[in-house]
Amino acid sequence: MTELRKRMNDAMVLRGLAERTKESYLACVTGLAKYYWLSPDTLDAEAIQSYLLHLITEKKLAYSSVNQAACAFRFLFATVLRQKSVAFDIPMAKVPKRLPQVLTRDEVQRLFAHGGDLRSRAVLMTTYAAGLRLSEVCALQLGDIESAPDRMCIKVRQGKGGKDRYTLLSPRLLDTLRLYWRARRPRLWLFPNSSGDGPLSDQTAQRMYHAARRAAGIEHGGGIHTLRHAFATHLLEAGVDIHTIQRLMGHGHVSTTTRYFHLAHTHLIGTPSPLELLDPD
């Protein structure tokens, strides 16, 4: 796998795939190799289809995860191995569309109040206040916090799709981050790992969220990504226009952002039913 892994990684770098996409694709191909104990370039389409079926029926993976594996295998064979003549009969499963879970403002307040130590509260507050993805909050560096009065923003480096963007820096968040910096004195990474030589891991940030959620008595709420959903929904409820929210969140298409209309209560309350618009008998 070593040579094949290098070839695949090089091909993804040349095509500008995002870091998390590269990691996911390599993990999918590694899983395929371990399942058969064979190099993936020796397998045929039937073997790959059997493996995808195994992921669905035995591993019970979500269809979105299986789709990602199928994309990784297509990339491997068509791009890396240049076997474009090989026909894959791998239907991409339709992923059921569900509305994301969102915390209320009161629940967010309770979450912060039960956030444990100052670092945990700072991580959770930053995720919510800036609408960050998990990977984005973990990768923040001190230089990304632009606190000059005429700037007041956070730079997000290489977000989804490898794109940089700027998002909000709340004055309340800035006060919390300054308290945190005075207590912990991070040097490069805003939230370094325990050894200080790298960024906070995704798993640690998720544990912070779940610990605070349990302590606050919030039964629902999914993972830490719920705070990003709350960011968008609460801004929409406050009257911020959809295109501004799209830019702040780094969505490539406004259609991704418009789903939050379904979650914003202020857009439902007070809206009359068409029945009320009919002439009375």
Side-chain angles (χ1 to χ4, degrees), residues 178-192:
R178 282 172 170 163
L179 287 173
Y180 159 75
W181 184 85
R182 286 195 288 269
R184 303 296 290 262
R185 298 283 175 169
R187 296 183 179 180
L188 172 61
W189 306 102
L190 180 61
F191 302 117

Side-chain angles (χ1 to χ4, degrees), residues 137-168:
V137 71
C138 291
L140 283 176
Q141 299 181 16
L142 288 176
D144 298 331
I145 309 301
E146 301 189 13
S147 58
D150 61 340
R151 290 288 294 170
M152 286 297 289
C153 60
I154 296 176
K155 182 176 183 179
V156 180
R157 302 170 185 266
Q158 298 294 290
K160 191 172 183 179
K163 299 178 181 178
D164 292 351
R165 74 178 190 279
Y166 287 96
T167 186
L168 305 175

Side-chain angles (χ1 to χ4, degrees), residues 251-277:
H251 287 158
H253 302 281
V254 73
S255 59
T256 306
T257 317
T258 54
R259 64 177 174 166
Y260 293 105
F261 275 116
H262 298 285
L263 304 172
H265 290 173
T266 54
H267 287 264
L268 299 177
I269 298 173
T271 301
S273 165
L275 180 61
E276 305 301 325
L277 304 179

Side-chain angles (χ1 to χ4, degrees), residues 115-123 176 179-181 183-184 191:
D117 61 14
L118 181 57
R119 183 179 74 148
S120 296
R121 289 197 301 275
V123 169
T176 298
L179 287 173
Y180 159 75
W181 184 85
R184 303 296 290 262
F191 302 117

Side-chain angles (χ1 to χ4, degrees), residues 98-133:
R98 299 184 178 91
L99 290 176
Q101 292 182 312
V102 174
L103 301 179
T104 65
R105 289 183 177 84
D106 176 68
E107 288 171 331
V108 172
Q109 292 273 27
R110 285 161 49 199
L111 188 82
F112 295 158
H114 292 82
D117 61 14
L118 181 57
R119 183 179 74 148
S120 296
R121 289 197 301 275
V123 169
L124 299 178
M125 289 182 70
T126 303
T127 306
Y128 170 73
L132 300 178
R133 299 179 177 91

Side-chain angles (χ1 to χ4, degrees), residues 198-218:
L200 185 73
S201 71
D202 292 2
Q203 294 81 5
T204 300
Q206 287 284 18
R207 285 195 293 269
M208 290 175 176
Y209 174 80
H210 287 293
R213 183 173 60 81
R214 288 192 298 269
I218 302 171

Side-chain angles (χ1 to χ4, degrees), residues 6-39:
K6 183 180 183 304
R7 288 174 59 192
M8 185 167 180
N9 186 69
D10 290 346
M12 291 189 291
V13 170
L14 287 172
R15 285 156 183 81
L17 272 64
E19 194 63 36
R20 289 182 69 84
T21 302
K22 291 189 289 185
E23 293 173 359
S24 298
Y25 276 19
L26 289 172
C28 290
V29 174
T30 300
L32 176 68
K34 288 183 177 179
Y35 180 75
Y36 286 109
W37 288 105
L38 293 170
S39 179

